[in-house]
C-alpha cells in the first residue's frame, strides 16, 4: 500500500474546484444529526452536525452495524463539546478550535446543550452510510 501526504496529494491537483456545504453532494440523516458530504476530485469532506442527545452508539451504530465507530477521522471542531472514548478506554472532550485525529474504534457523544459541528477530511466517505 502506498501512503501519500496531504502535501503530495495537493501537488497532484490540477483542477480548481469550489464547493459549499449549503449545497452538499449528499446529506445523510440519522437520529439527532446529519452528515453533509462534499465530493471533490478524488476526496470527500464532511460536515457533521450533531444535536444534544446524539451518541454514536445509539444513533449511528444501528446504521454502521459495528460495535464501535470504524471510521477513522481527521476533524476540525467548529462548535459544541464532543466527548470521545476510544476502545482502549482513552477518553477526552474536544471543543471549538480543536483538531482531532482518531483511528477506528471509538464512541462519541454530545456534551451539554450546544450543537456540535465538525468538519471531517478523512472519515466522511462512508460515515452513517448503510453497508451495501
Amino acid at each position: 500500500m502506498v501512503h501519500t501526504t496531504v502535501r503530495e496529494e495537493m501537488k497532484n491537483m490540477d483542477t480548481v474546484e469550489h464547493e459549499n456545504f449549503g449545497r452538499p453532494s449528499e446529506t445523510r440523516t440519522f437520529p439527532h444529526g446529519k452528515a453533509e458530504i462534499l465530493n471533490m476530485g478524488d476526496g470527500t469532506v464532511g460536515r457533521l452536525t450533531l444535536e444534544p442527545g446524539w451518541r454514536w452508539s445509539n444513533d449511528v451504530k444501528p446504521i454502521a452495524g459495528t460495535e464501535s465507530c470504524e471510521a477513522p477521522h481527521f476533524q476540525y471542531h467548529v462548535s459544541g463539546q464532543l466527548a470521545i472514548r476510544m476502545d482502549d478506554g482513552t477518553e477526552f472532550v474536544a471543543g471549538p478550535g480543536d483538531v482531532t485525529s482518531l483511528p477506528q474504534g471509538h464512541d462519541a457523544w454530545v456534551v451539554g446543550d450546544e450543537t456540535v459541528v465538525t468538519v471531517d477530511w478523512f472519515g466522511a466517505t462512508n460515515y452513517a452510510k448503510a453497508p451495501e
Side-chain angles (χ1 to χ4, degrees), residues 6-132:
V6 171
R7 183 170 293 183
E8 289 170 326
E9 290 178 14
M10 295 293 286
K11 287 180 186 176
N12 295 328
M13 293 175 63
D14 59 0
T15 304
V16 173
E17 293 186 66
H18 178 215
E19 299 291 339
N20 187 293
F21 281 114
R23 297 178 312 280
S25 306
E26 178 182 0
T27 300
R28 300 178 196 142
T29 59
F30 41 85
H32 299 104
K34 65 182 174 180
E36 296 163 296
I37 309 300
L38 296 178
N39 296 312
M40 297 183 71
D42 293 335
T44 303
V45 180
R47 178 172 67 180
L48 305 180
T49 302
L50 311 171
E51 300 295 335
W54 177 89
R55 186 177 185 122
W56 185 91
S57 54
N58 295 334
D59 298 324
V60 182
K61 179 179 178 177
I63 298 166
T66 57
E67 277 306 304
S68 59
C69 182
E70 297 298 317
H73 299 282
F74 184 59
Q75 297 177 319
Y76 173 71
H77 296 259
V78 178
S79 65
Q81 301 287 317
L82 186 67
I84 299 159
R85 180 182 301 130
M86 303 304 298
D87 286 352
D88 70 4
T90 303
E91 189 172 315
F92 62 95
V93 176
D98 288 343
V99 175
T100 56
S101 177
L102 306 173
Q104 64 183 22
H106 54 272
D107 191 9
W109 58 94
V110 173
V111 176
D113 295 328
E114 185 178 354
T115 299
V116 168
V117 176
T118 66
V119 177
D120 193 334
W121 282 274
F122 194 73
T125 302
N126 292 314
Y127 189 81
K129 189 173 188 179
E132 294 177 14

